[in-house]
Amino acid sequence: MFKTSLTSLLLIVSLSWQPNANAEQLDASMQATPARCVALHQGQTCYQLVDINWQINTKGSYCLFISSSPQALTCWQQNGQQAGFFQYDVQSTEDVVFSIKNSYSQQTLAQLRFEIAWVYNQSQQRRSSWRLF
C-alpha cells in the first residue's frame, strides 16, 4: 500500500511540475528611431544618429552591445521594470545589430537590426557625359 501511494504521489507531483514556474520571465523589447539609414549609393557610408529605447521587466545587470564591437556601449543595474534610452552615432556601410545582454551570463535578451539602405545600387553603369557621334 505504501508503495502504491508513493508512486501515485510522485506521478501527481511530476504532472503538476512546470519548468520555470517560479522563475521570472525574461521579457525585453527594443526599438530604434529611425529604423534605417539611407545613403545615396551602395557601399557608401551612412551617417545617422539613432535613438535606442528598451524596456525590461526583470531585475538584473544588463549591457547594450553593437555588432561591430565586443565592448559594451553602456551597462546598468535594474531593480524592476525599467525603460532605458541611448543615442548612438551610426557610421556604417552595412546593417548594424544592437543587443541587450545579461552582464553575467551574456544571455541575449533583445536584439534589433538597424538597416542600411541605398537610393542607387552600385550595379548601375555610369553614363558617359560625352559622345563621339
Side-chain angles (χ1 to χ4, degrees), residues 58-124:
T58 308
K59 294 178 184 178
S61 180
Y62 304 102
C63 292
L64 176 66
F65 288 87
I66 188 169
S67 58
S68 61
S69 175
Q71 294 182 337
L73 297 174
T74 186
C75 293
W76 66 96
Q77 184 70 32
Q78 181 165 317
N79 296 323
Q81 186 173 15
Q82 181 178 348
F85 172 79
F86 188 79
Q87 280 191 326
Y88 185 76
D89 189 15
V90 172
Q91 299 178 16
S92 181
T93 57
E94 55 190 38
D95 292 356
V96 176
V97 177
F98 293 97
S99 57
I100 293 177
K101 296 181 181 182
N102 183 303
S103 325
Y104 302 113
S105 68
Q106 294 300 308
Q107 177 187 10
T108 302
L109 302 175
Q111 197 170 36
L112 72 85
R113 179 176 299 276
F114 181 75
E115 297 177 1
I116 306 297
W118 302 279
V119 176
Y120 301 110
N121 288 335
Q122 197 165 354
S123 63
Q124 294 178 343

Side-chain angles (χ1 to χ4, degrees), residues 44-60:
Q44 202 172 34
T45 302
C46 200
Y47 301 92
Q48 182 69 52
L49 185 62
V50 180
D51 294 336
I52 302 162
N53 297 296
W54 64 83
Q55 187 164 354
I56 302 175
N57 69 353
T58 308
K59 294 178 184 178

Side-chain angles (χ1 to χ4, degrees), residues 16-30:
S16 64
W17 182 77
Q18 296 176 5
N20 295 329
N22 295 331
E24 290 186 51
Q25 290 291 335
L26 296 178
D27 187 23
S29 62
M30 291 178 70

